């Protein structure tokens, strides 16, 4: 039962990580310059890396390993947001917080604590969409 809950949280969080874009859009040239473009590309790369690792909670390390990946991704995304500043920083900070909350939930589940609640995936999706808009992604989608 515990692993099923962890699988569910991991799968939902990975769905929340996917940005369906390949580059920062034209908004960047108007509102953020090179720092924003670089930060957005680095955020996108980080999200794709976490998503491509599958966010699997069943492989080696299980939920603890996935929680660690989410925490590390949150730190990188938060840092890149600070590099960009403005709307990107605000959105990146909010999305990173969602990743941290998901990581905390996975850690609780892996220790057998089933009363830790679940992350707010609707909020995570909204923050992901806000991040996409701040970066000027075209054809943005999440999950």
């Amino acid at each position: 039962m515990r692993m099923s809950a962890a699988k569910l949280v991991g799968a939902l969080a990975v769905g929340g990580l996917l940005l369906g874009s390949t580059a920062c859009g034209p908004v960047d040239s108007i509102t953020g310059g090179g720092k924003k473009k670089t930060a957005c590309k680095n955020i996108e790369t980080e999200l794709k890396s976490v998503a491509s690792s599958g966010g699997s909670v069943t492989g080696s390390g299980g939920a603890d390993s996935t929680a660690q990946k989410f925490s590390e991704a949150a730190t990188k995304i938060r840092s890149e947001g600070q590099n960009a500043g403005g709307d990107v920083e605000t959105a990146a900070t909010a999305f990173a917080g969602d990743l941290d909350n998901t990581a905390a939930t996975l850690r609780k589940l892996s220790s057998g604590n089933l009363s830790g609640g679940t992350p707010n995936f609707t909020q995570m999706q909204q923050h992901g969409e806000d991040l996409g808009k701040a970066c000027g992604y075209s054809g943005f989608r999440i999950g």
Side-chain angles (χ1 to χ4, degrees):
M1 181 73 171
R2 171 175 30 165
M3 192 52 85
S4 294
K7 277 185 187 178
L8 176 63
V9 170
L12 290 172
V14 168
L17 292 173
L18 298 176
L19 293 173
S21 170
T22 57
C24 287
V27 172
D28 181 63
S29 62
I30 299 168
T31 62
K35 287 184 179 181
K36 178 177 176 179
K37 183 175 182 179
T38 299
C40 288
K41 284 194 171 290
N42 290 342
I43 289 169
E44 179 183 18
T45 298
E46 182 62 27
L47 291 173
K48 285 182 177 181
S49 172
V50 171
S52 70
S53 72
S56 173
V57 294
T58 59
S60 81
D64 284 332
S65 176
T66 301
Q68 185 61 34
K69 289 177 190 174
F70 287 176
S71 290
E72 290 170 0
T75 298
K76 290 176 185 173
I77 290 167
R78 194 175 284 110
S79 175
E80 290 298 336
Q82 290 170 348
N83 290 340
D87 291 348
V88 174
E89 180 176 9
T90 301
T93 298
F95 191 76
D98 295 332
L99 290 176
D100 283 332
N101 290 339
T102 301
T105 298
L106 286 171
R107 286 185 182 103
K108 288 177 187 176
L109 290 172
S110 71
S111 70
N113 181 353
L114 300 179
S115 64
T118 60
N120 184 336
F121 294 111
T122 302
Q123 177 180 295
M124 179 184 261
Q125 182 173 4
Q126 182 60 54
H127 289 155
E129 290 172 8
D130 292 347
L131 181 56
K133 288 176 188 172
C135 281
Y137 290 118
S138 60
F140 180 80
R141 76 172 184 80
I142 198 161

